[in-house]
Amino acid sequence: MHRQQHLKNHSREALRERFRADGLPAYRADQVLRWLYVQAVEDWSAMSDLPLALREQLAADWQTRALDCVHVARSQDGTCKATLRAHDGAVVEAVLIPEERRQTLCISSQVGCPLACSFCATGALGFARNLTTAEIVDQVCRMQELLDPDERITNVVFMGMGEPLLNLPAVAEAIRILTDPKLFALAPRRITVSTAGVVSRIEALLDIAPVHLAVSLHAPTDAVRDVLVPLNRRFPLADLIATLRELDGVSPRRPVFFEYTLIDGVNDSERDAERLVALLRGLPCKLNVIPMNPHPDAPHGPPPSAVVDRFTARVHAGGLRVTLRRNRGTDIDAACGQLAAREAAAAVDRAVSPG
Ligand code: SAH
């Protein structure tokens, strides 16, 4: 028996190529993808502009759906977290964050994560596998179905489970699909990819499309960052910041976003704020301060709000553009670093210890 391939693994260009190789006219690829992404139809029987015989042939070779939604949790603030299951049983989470004029979707790039950041629930899970392009894109398809017909996902952030730059080929193809004017048609600037600092792949990411770059900074010194983000031992702060300073396309209009999770007594002193200001001086950037979301696997927690305010005021006074991120969805464990469903944990266990 031959294995079915997945339509959503391919950009339009790539699928046209595949169809041509199979002796089909390339425009058939455009038609099929239009059904999937513009009409949100995955059922072959509804694809009425394709001849019946062709539909049967394609249905034998190609899958249209990579994820099933197995659970939805809605927060009091409107944030909506979905548990999505792949065909092998692996589970990831995606979070929809409604705001007044936009619908931001936070998606995952891996099942679990290999980076083991000390304060992150996903890091505590360990790593099972990379997501395929189809599984990345299907998070958008499944979550779009939770919205009213007149609402659309307007922004996508790769800030869910996993490290996108350690799964760059699949993430790249997903970005091509999401930004294709004939498919999802998201402007590249409506996509943000967050990295813990895989310095060697940042340029390659920005070569795909001019998406926004977010970097999880969390500490102004190697001594502290080595502990919080172990990847820092491979790519220390000096390398990271030097690389960001040299990037084409970073400008005051296209700043680098830095995430800075404030952890009680670890990275929240006035001295830390001053060092941060010195580290980032002259680099077009915005700092996003996130008081740590506690979870059972992390020894730390957020600082008292007076300390959060003092830290934020201090970096602001130092000339950095800074926002304090209101934690959303904390009542459903949908906030940053809390994505670690029980099912996901079980999937990681299965992958790490087969049998
Ligand atoms: N691996 C990528 C993508 C994940 S983004 C990255 O590290 O950037 C998720 C963001 O939430 C990261 O900035 C991460 O460091 C942060 N985060 C993780 N655990 C958190 C917690 N418990 N509280 C607040 N932020 C957390």
Side-chain angles (χ1 to χ4, degrees):
M1 215 188 100
H2 74 260
R3 287 175 73 93
Q4 277 192 320
Q5 312 179 70
H6 212 299
L7 285 170
K8 287 179 182 155
N9 274 335
H10 304 284
S11 65
R12 199 157 50 86
E13 209 38 61
L15 194 69
R16 288 169 66 96
E17 207 46 60
R18 299 292 291 268
F19 272 33
R20 264 191 225 112
D22 289 347
L24 295 170
Y27 75 89
R28 294 295 188 196
D30 292 44
Q31 280 179 304
V32 171
L33 293 181
R34 221 188 114 71
W35 282 110
L36 292 185
Y37 299 123
V38 181
Q39 311 288 346
V41 164
E42 292 175 343
D43 182 353
W44 292 104
S45 66
M47 301 187 188
S48 49
D49 59 354
L50 298 170
L52 195 58
L54 177 62
R55 277 187 252 165
E56 281 168 3
Q57 178 191 339
L58 291 174
D61 290 341
W62 294 93
Q63 292 184 333
T64 58
R65 185 182 176 95
L67 296 176
D68 290 313
C69 185
V70 291
H71 184 70
V72 177
R74 286 176 201 276
S75 162
Q76 287 168 358
D77 65 20
T79 302
C80 193
K81 177 174 83 166
T83 307
L84 305 169
R85 188 185 290 141
H87 296 322
D88 67 349
V91 163
V92 292
E93 294 182 317
V95 180
L96 193 60
I97 306 152
E99 289 169 294
E100 230 166 79
R101 294 201 335 269
R102 53 184 189 188
Q103 302 277 349
T104 300
L105 177 64
C106 175
I107 60 175
S108 299
S109 56
Q110 299 180 314
V111 185
C113 182
L115 294 183
C117 297
S118 64
F119 52 94
C120 177
T122 307
L125 281 180
F127 175 66
R129 66 169 174 86
N130 281 328
L131 292 180
T132 63
T133 294
E135 290 163 345
I136 294 171
V137 171
D138 234 13
Q139 294 173 63
V140 185
C141 298
R142 289 294 79 76
M143 299 307 274
Q144 178 65 47
E145 290 169 356
L146 298 179
L147 292 174
D148 291 340
D150 61 333
E151 291 175 326
R152 246 182 78 79
I153 290 165
T154 60
N155 295 69
V156 170
V157 299
F158 285 80
M159 295 188 184
M161 303 169 78
E163 168 53 46
L165 297 196
L166 293 182
N167 187 17
L168 192 53
V171 167
E173 197 74 337
I175 290 173
R176 290 186 197 103
I177 294 167
L178 294 174
T179 57
D180 187 328
K182 292 198 168 163
L183 304 180
F184 269 111
L186 283 180
R189 70 194 149 74
R190 295 199 173 263
I191 297 178
T192 301
V193 177
S194 181
T195 177
V198 186
V199 169
S200 55
R201 301 201 183 152
I202 290 177
E203 260 196 276
L205 167 73
L206 296 180
D207 282 347
I208 300 159
V211 296
H212 278 298
L213 177 68
V215 175
S216 295
L217 196 57
H218 308 319
T221 62
D222 284 325
V224 176
R225 197 165 189 269
D226 277 350
V227 176
L228 297 180
V229 184
L231 181 71
N232 193 69
R233 295 173 209 156
R234 238 174 92 205
F235 300 111
L237 276 175
D239 287 4
L240 173 63
I241 303 299
T243 298
L244 298 177
R245 284 185 192 281
E246 282 162 18
L247 284 179
D248 288 340
V250 169
S251 69
R253 278 188 51 232
R254 300 191 60 77
V256 177
F257 298 126
F258 287 109
E259 290 128 308
Y260 194 101
T261 298
L262 264 190
I263 308 173
D264 189 24
V266 172
N267 61 0
D268 60 348
S269 70
E270 290 197 73
R271 184 89 201 280
D272 291 323
E274 278 154 26
R275 283 178 164 146
L276 194 57
V277 168
L279 181 71
L280 302 182
R281 182 158 290 137
L283 174 64
C285 65
K286 276 188 187 170
L287 188 73
N288 220 325
V289 172
I290 314 159
M292 184 185 157
N293 295 304
H295 62 86
D297 292 319
H300 302 292
S305 64
V307 174
V308 174
D309 291 342
R310 185 188 66 187
F311 186 91
T312 310
R314 185 69 200 80
V315 287
H316 180 72
L320 289 185
R321 293 152 81 184
V322 57
T323 51
L324 184 57
R325 193 187 289 176
R326 203 159 53 92
N327 280 324
R328 299 200 44 169
T330 42
D331 54 334
I332 54 167
D333 285 352
C336 303
Q338 293 185 314
L339 295 182
R342 265 177 226 291
E343 293 97 318
V348 170
D349 283 346
R350 280 197 298 276
V352 172
S353 53

